[in-house]
Amino acid sequence: MRKGFYFDESACVGCRTCQAACIEAHDVPLGVSFRRVFSLTGGAYPEASMFHVSLGCNHCESPACVEVCPAGAMVVDEADGTIQHDDEACIGCQSCVKACPYGTPQFRDDLKIVQKCDGCLGFREQGEDPVCVAACTMRALRFGDIEELRAQYGGECVSELPCMSSASETTPSLIMRAKAVALENEGSAFTV
């Protein structure tokens, strides 16, 4: 069983409560966030519109961060397929930061190591949802068995947007119900 995220872009209002909850729960310094919300525009006047993308770790099936880590600090959790980080093993080289096409691993200058979204493993071990999921007032985020999420929501879902790296690179455990504007190539030059 591989765990992953479902994101309903059509429900997201860009409030960043998921991002704020993550920052608070993990007590990270200014500039570090394991979940980030990006606000983007697409289309052209008079039909331009805005959409939001909320991204944490995509817990990829072929994680570039794990592949390049020389210290073995990035590992795949055999129990649920999430990508975990061992702070004690991390040497702070930032190879994972450079390798991740989604910009997920964050260098902690205060600790001189990298950290990242772990799907709130500690909360999940206590039977709770990841804090980003629990905090989302619009219920735009879900976390669970990625195959079950695909069965429940997958009909019109995608695993990449034109503003993101190709899903074929790392096979992210992420499905998104995207707005039409987010699926358009033009006007969305931002890359996550």
Side-chain angles (χ1 to χ4, degrees), residues 147-175:
E147 293 309 320
E148 289 177 13
L149 292 172
R150 282 189 179 113
Q152 185 174 358
Y153 301 107
E156 44 191 67
C157 290
V158 297
S159 288
E160 67 183 70
L161 299 172
C163 62
M164 297 170 66
S165 294
S166 171
S168 65
E169 288 182 42
T170 59
T171 316
S173 294
L174 169 71
I175 58 169

Side-chain angles (χ1 to χ4, degrees), residues 42-67:
Y45 179 82
E47 309 218 356
S49 62
M50 179 177 276
F51 62 98
H52 311 283
V53 180
S54 175
L55 289 176
C57 181
N58 294 328
H59 302 288
C60 301
E61 193 172 328
S62 303
C65 60
V66 172
E67 185 179 317

Side-chain angles (χ1 to χ4, degrees), residues 122-146:
F123 287 96
R124 291 188 293 120
E125 288 174 338
Q126 296 176 26
E128 298 177 40
D129 279 332
V131 295
C132 58
V133 172
C136 181
T137 58
M138 301 306 292
R139 300 296 171 240
L141 287 169
R142 299 279 188 269
F143 184 82
D145 180 303
I146 194 64

Side-chain angles (χ1 to χ4, degrees), residues 65-149:
C65 60
V66 172
E67 185 179 317
V68 301
C69 181
M74 289 285 189
V75 296
V76 177
D77 184 320
E78 296 301 321
D80 65 8
T82 59
I83 311 307
Q84 299 299 316
H85 182 265
D86 181 348
D87 289 356
E88 299 297 317
C90 184
I91 59 174
C93 69
Q94 301 184 58
S95 294
C96 58
V97 173
K98 296 170 188 146
C100 177
Y102 305 105
T104 298
Q106 304 280 301
F107 183 71
R108 294 277 306 260
D109 197 46
D110 58 331
L111 302 175
K112 303 297 184 215
I113 62 168
V114 170
Q115 291 183 322
K116 60 172 279 304
C117 162
D118 62 2
C120 285
L121 182 61
F123 287 96
R124 291 188 293 120
E125 288 174 338
Q126 296 176 26
E128 298 177 40
D129 279 332
V131 295
C132 58
V133 172
C136 181
T137 58
M138 301 306 292
R139 300 296 171 240
L141 287 169
R142 299 279 188 269
F143 184 82
D145 180 303
I146 194 64
E147 293 309 320
E148 289 177 13
L149 292 172

